[in-house]
Amino acid sequence: MEKLSNLPGFSLRQLWYFVAAAEEGTISAAASRLHVSQSAVSLALGELERALKVQLCVRRKAHGITLTPSGTQVLQQARALLRQAEELAETNAGDSADLAGRLALGCYLTLAPTVLPRLLHGFGGRHPRVTIDFTEGTQDALQRLLLAGELDLAVLYDMEVLPEIAQVELYHRRPHVLLPADHRLAGQPEVALHDLADEPMVLLDAPPSSHHTLRLCTDAGVKPVVRHRTSSFETARALVGRGLGYAMLIQRPANDRTYEGLPVVYKSISELSGYAVSVLLAWPRHTRLTRRSAEFVAYCQDVFAGEDS
């Protein structure tokens, strides 16, 4: 085994204070979060910079702190070290210790309304000392946050997933067409994209959903007439309810009415019979899951077992 030649000149507490300051953006906000004085945070940052022999941030009284390029790199490494230290503490605490602490969870925009409430409520009831902070975003943004160490886990679609991302499959969803209830095809058991080719489309423009939708149309030999674009799942439903076009979606809420109370109908797509998209729980491939994250992965697999549609 390789022997340590010397101890590092910095402490985990200094790294902890640095991460808090970087995430909060100001010394005062970091101090408030850590329940320490501003001078304690400022002192820790100065000591850490001297130990590493590099400037980590630029401090401006009226504008908080801005990370230097070196500071950005150290931030990612500091998060990894703090997670490893936490994992060491959890491992030696044994299985009898209650899970506690913070779990940073990301969720793709359109999945969030139907996935997050159930997971937060169920896992929170099982492990009340774990605080789940969640972030909603597009697939590319969430993957960047995972790789930067700002998220522990993220719920994503199996679309354009980076090779640096590890994953487990939770369930499948089939794409469908959303129509206003009075549409000429509303009474059909399923519809063909070719039958909608000349009608306006409302495109859910939240990557990678938009890329995926347009690719499916191309594969079916249809060039859609995109009339409206929106990054909001509910806005897309509202526009369809008003008869302003049809939409292709994957996620389906239980309520078949828009906020205005206008009815909409969901129809399977004849050209896509048998096709489905996987919903994943993902994390950085280079990161070993903490006990808290591993428990959350197992919980999600249990919750969504057999829930394909």
Side-chain angles (χ1 to χ4, degrees):
M1 179 182 295
E2 182 180 350
K3 294 182 180 180
L4 294 175
S5 58
N6 50 58
L7 290 174
F10 57 86
S11 68
L12 290 178
R13 183 175 296 276
Q14 290 166 353
L15 294 178
W16 185 29
Y17 284 17
F18 167 62
V19 170
E23 291 178 347
E24 297 296 333
T26 66
I27 299 294
S28 60
S32 177
R33 168 174 154 182
L34 297 167
H35 305 291
V36 299
S37 67
Q38 294 184 37
S39 60
V41 176
S42 183
L43 179 63
L45 291 182
E47 291 174 341
L48 183 59
E49 287 180 324
R50 285 191 292 274
L52 297 177
K53 297 180 175 60
V54 66
Q55 184 178 3
L56 300 175
C57 56
V58 178
R59 308 183 204 186
R60 298 184 177 91
K61 183 171 293 186
H63 302 284
I65 66 171
T66 302
L67 294 184
T68 64
S70 295
T72 300
Q73 182 179 0
V74 171
L75 176 61
Q76 185 172 350
Q77 295 170 324
R79 286 178 173 138
L81 282 172
L82 290 172
R83 281 193 173 88
Q84 291 171 7
E86 187 177 32
E87 180 184 352
L88 179 62
E90 289 177 349
T91 300
N92 285 277
D95 293 337
S96 60
D98 292 337
L99 286 183
R102 174 179 176 267
L103 180 69
L105 177 66
C107 192
Y108 182 66
L109 288 166
T110 62
L111 290 167
T114 56
V115 170
L116 281 181
R118 180 171 16 169
L119 295 181
L120 268 59
H121 179 268
F123 192 77
R126 184 175 296 187
H127 301 289
R129 297 181 60 204
V130 175
T131 300
I132 301 179
D133 295 330
F134 65 86
T135 299
E136 301 170 78
T138 58
Q139 191 110 338
D140 52 352
L142 293 176
Q143 290 186 87
R144 285 197 301 270
L145 292 174
L146 282 173
L147 296 176
E150 296 184 41
L151 294 176
D152 298 307
L153 301 164
V155 182
L156 309 170
Y157 280 121
D158 188 11
M159 303 176 188
E160 303 178 14
V161 178
L162 298 173
E164 299 92 337
I165 299 294
Q167 60 196 254
V168 295
E169 190 174 83
L170 297 179
Y171 60 93
H172 300 85
R173 285 288 183 264
R174 292 194 296 270
H176 56 266
V177 163
L178 183 66
L179 301 171
D182 59 357
H183 191 275
R184 59 185 176 85
L185 300 176
Q188 301 296 321
E190 65 177 16
V191 301
L193 293 177
H194 283 85
D195 293 334
L196 297 168
D198 296 329
E199 298 189 21
M201 170 189 268
V202 177
L203 181 65
L204 181 61
D205 198 5
S209 284
S210 51
H211 310 155
H212 179 253
T213 295
L214 296 176
R215 180 178 62 78
L216 291 180
C217 289
T218 298
D219 292 347
V222 174
K223 184 177 182 180
V225 182
V226 178
R227 182 66 54 82
H228 301 287
R229 294 173 179 262
T230 176
S231 60
S232 166
F233 179 75
E234 287 299 337
T235 300
R237 295 178 73 245
L239 293 173
V240 171
R242 276 291 181 178
L244 297 175
Y246 71 95
M248 279 183 63
L249 303 171
I250 299 176
Q251 196 67 9
R252 174 177 175 174
N255 186 5
D256 290 345
R257 289 183 176 271
T258 68
Y259 284 122
E260 294 182 289
L262 299 172
V264 292
V265 294
Y266 297 85
K267 297 294 176 181
S268 56
I269 303 170
S270 60
E271 292 99 333
L272 301 180
S273 177
Y275 175 79
V277 179
S278 297
V279 176
L280 313 171
L281 189 59
W283 61 92
R285 191 175 297 278
H286 66 269
T287 300
R288 181 178 176 181
L289 292 178
T290 64
R291 179 172 165 236
R292 187 167 53 246
S293 293
E295 287 285 344
F296 188 81
V297 171
Y299 174 77
C300 289
Q301 290 178 303
D302 182 56
V303 165
F304 292 112
E307 198 173 301
D308 294 346
S309 70

